[in-house]
Amino acid sequence: KNQVEQSPQSLIILEGKNCTLQCNYTVSPFSNLRWYKQDTGRGPVSLTIMTFSENTKSNGRYTATLDADTKQSSLHITASQLSDSASYICVVSATAGNKLTFGGGTRVLVKP
Amino acid sequence: DTAVSQTPKYLVTQMGNDKSIKCEQNLGHDTMYWYKQDSKKFLKIMFSYNNKELIINETVPNRFSPKSPDKAHLNLHINSLELGDSAVYFCASSQGWGTDTYEQYFGPGTRLTVT
C-alpha cells in the first residue's frame, strides 16, 4: 500500500531560525516527490518537485532533498519568517498516471 | 486573475440534501481533479478528468458524481448528503496527465458542513 509519513506532526520555531521537516514514503514505482505549502483556509501551493535523478532542489529559502534509495525526503526552511507558518505536505507520485499520495503534513508555527 | 476557482467557499446543509460544488480553471489545462481533505488534514483524490474524460475514479460512494461540461470546468454533485461527507473539497488542475511531472494547481477549497 502506498503511504507517505511525515514528521514531526507539528513544530514551533522562532523567527529567523532554521528547521527541517522529514518525509518517508513507500510509494512504488516512484515517479516524483513534491512539497506543498498550505496556508490555513487555502489550497496547497507547490514548493518543489523532484524526480528520481534529483537529490536536491531549492525554491528561495526552501530546500528539499531526496534519497530515492532510502525513500526519504526532507524540507529545510532557512531563516524562517512569520509567513512560513503553514502546513507543509509531502506528496509522492507513482508512475503510471498522475495519482498523488499525500502525507498528513507538518504544521509549522513561526513565533516572533 | 484566479487560476482555479471554486464556488461556494462555504456550504452548510442538512443530511439527505443534494448539493453541487463548481470548479473552473483559466490556465488552459487539460486535466482537473477533485480532492477531499478530512479533519486530519489528509488529502485524498476522488476523481480526475483529462479532456473531459474520467481517468481516475477512486473508491468513492456513488452519491458523488463529477461532471465535466468542458475542459475548463469540473463540477461535483453530491446526493443524499451524510454527516461523514463534512470536509474541505479541493479542485485542482494540471497541464496534462501521465508519467510526466505535471504540477497541480489547487483551488481555495469548499468547506462542506453537513448537519
Side-chain angles (χ1 to χ4, degrees), chain B residues 27 33 40-41 48 74 80 83 85 87 91 97-98 100 102-103 105 108 114:
Chain B
L27 298 168
Y33 312 80
K40 294 184 178 179
K41 303 301 182 185
S48 178
L74 180 62
S80 303
L83 293 177
D85 298 331
C91 176
W97 178 83
D100 289 339
Y102 292 111
E103 185 167 335
Y105 295 82
V114 182

Side-chain angles (χ1 to χ4, degrees), chain A residues 4 31-32 34 36 38 41-47 49-51 87 89 93-105 107, chain B residues 9-10 31 33 35 37 40-45 56 58 88 90 94 96-109 111:
Chain A
V4 177
S31 174
N32 59 79
R34 310 163 187 230
Y36 282 86
Q38 185 176 18
R42 309 192 77 164
V45 174
S46 178
L47 294 175
I49 301 177
M50 290 183 291
T51 59
S87 287
I89 304 172
S93 176
T95 48
N98 213 17
K99 185 175 164 184
L100 307 180
T101 301
F102 288 74
R107 182 164 292 187
Chain B
K9 188 167 175 61
Y10 300 97
T31 308
Y33 312 80
Y35 289 90
Q37 188 171 42
K40 294 184 178 179
K41 303 301 182 185
F42 276 94
L43 270 154
K44 291 183 181 177
I45 189 156
I56 294 176
E58 287 300 288
V88 181
F90 286 98
S94 63
W97 178 83
T99 55
D100 289 339
T101 306
Y102 292 111
E103 185 167 335
Q104 292 192 16
Y105 295 82
F106 285 80
R111 181 175 292 276

Side-chain angles (χ1 to χ4, degrees), chain B residues 70-88:
Chain B
D70 55 58
K71 283 197 318 182
H73 296 85
L74 180 62
N75 303 323
L76 183 65
H77 188 75
I78 315 170
N79 289 328
S80 303
L81 278 155
E82 301 177 357
L83 293 177
D85 298 331
S86 296
V88 181

Side-chain angles (χ1 to χ4, degrees), chain A residues 50-93:
Chain A
M50 290 183 291
T51 59
F52 184 88
S53 59
E54 298 173 294
N55 53 25
T56 187
K57 185 167 274 192
S58 292
N59 178 356
R61 294 179 296 101
Y62 300 103
T63 300
T65 65
L66 172 63
D67 186 335
D69 291 331
T70 62
K71 299 186 178 182
Q72 295 179 325
S73 175
S74 66
L75 180 70
H76 186 76
I77 305 175
T78 303
S80 60
Q81 300 177 358
L82 297 179
S83 60
D84 292 332
S85 295
S87 287
Y88 292 85
I89 304 172
C90 177
V91 186
V92 183
S93 176

